[in-house]
Amino acid sequence: KTTLSNKFRVSVLDRWVASSFAYQCRDESTTTAMLWGDLFLHTVESSLPGLTFYLDVPYDLGQQRIALRQGADRADRFEKERKDFFDGVATRFHQVLNVYHANGAEVIVLNGDNPKELVFKDCEEDLIRYLTKTYLPTSVGEVVPKTGP
């Protein structure tokens, strides 16, 4: 049975495999990276995101924003980590995003130094461009995946 849900499928997630790997895989050994690579390829390869946004925020600015948002004394477990932890998180995010890109996914790095209004604008423009490029309207109210080059 053909339904709209299997003609046009878009999922918007705020975290996915990249976050799990970046935050939970602190062991930098080759063995760990290979295990995660194998796990990734065997479990989610068929459902790689077509588009991923990565908000790149420098550590010091992130800490300032946390303090302004909720006060340093109310930061969660991850927000209390030291800079070296976040440097490792960023490195692991880039490893996964490189895998995404190498497998045909589009990765957009957003400048986290920018005010949130500009980040939202950049994100919106890139999302519209991606959806316009990926999906073609066939009639009013119907959208189907684009086929061919």
Side-chain angles (χ1 to χ4, degrees):
K1 178 178 177 182
T2 301
T3 65
L4 181 60
S5 66
N6 62 15
K7 277 187 170 182
F8 178 67
R9 192 173 295 211
V10 173
S11 297
V12 178
L13 307 168
D14 66 342
R15 290 175 181 81
W16 200 55
V17 172
S19 293
S20 295
F21 176 75
Y23 279 93
Q24 297 174 18
C25 187
R26 291 185 184 200
D27 182 358
E28 300 291 334
S29 73
T30 303
T31 304
T32 301
M34 287 172 35
L35 289 172
W36 265 95
D38 287 344
L39 176 67
F40 177 77
L41 291 175
H42 292 294
T43 57
V44 298
E45 181 179 29
S46 64
S47 59
L48 277 174
L51 174 65
T52 297
F53 290 101
Y54 176 75
L55 183 60
D56 189 14
V57 179
Y59 174 81
D60 291 334
L61 180 58
Q63 293 302 306
Q64 289 172 13
R65 288 177 178 170
I66 289 167
L68 288 173
R69 183 183 72 231
Q70 62 191 15
D73 59 324
R74 296 188 56 212
D76 71 23
R77 182 172 64 91
F78 285 118
E79 293 168 340
K80 291 179 181 177
E81 290 282 353
R82 294 187 330 248
K83 184 180 183 310
D84 61 327
F85 169 78
F86 288 103
D87 290 343
V89 168
T91 296
R92 292 184 293 275
F93 259 116
H94 287 138
Q95 290 171 336
V96 174
L97 297 176
N98 285 334
V99 171
Y100 285 5
H101 183 71
N103 284 279
E106 186 169 346
V107 175
I108 296 173
V109 178
L110 299 168
N111 184 350
D113 283 327
N114 289 334
K116 68 180 177 183
E117 295 80 15
L118 182 55
V119 171
F120 288 147
K121 181 179 177 286
D122 289 345
C123 186
E124 179 181 45
E125 289 173 358
D126 287 325
L127 181 59
I128 290 169
R129 180 192 47 76
Y130 174 79
L131 292 173
T132 301
K133 174 181 77 170
T134 306
Y135 297 94
L136 297 174
T138 58
S139 65
V140 176
E142 183 178 2
V143 179
V144 295
K146 184 165 114 176
T147 58

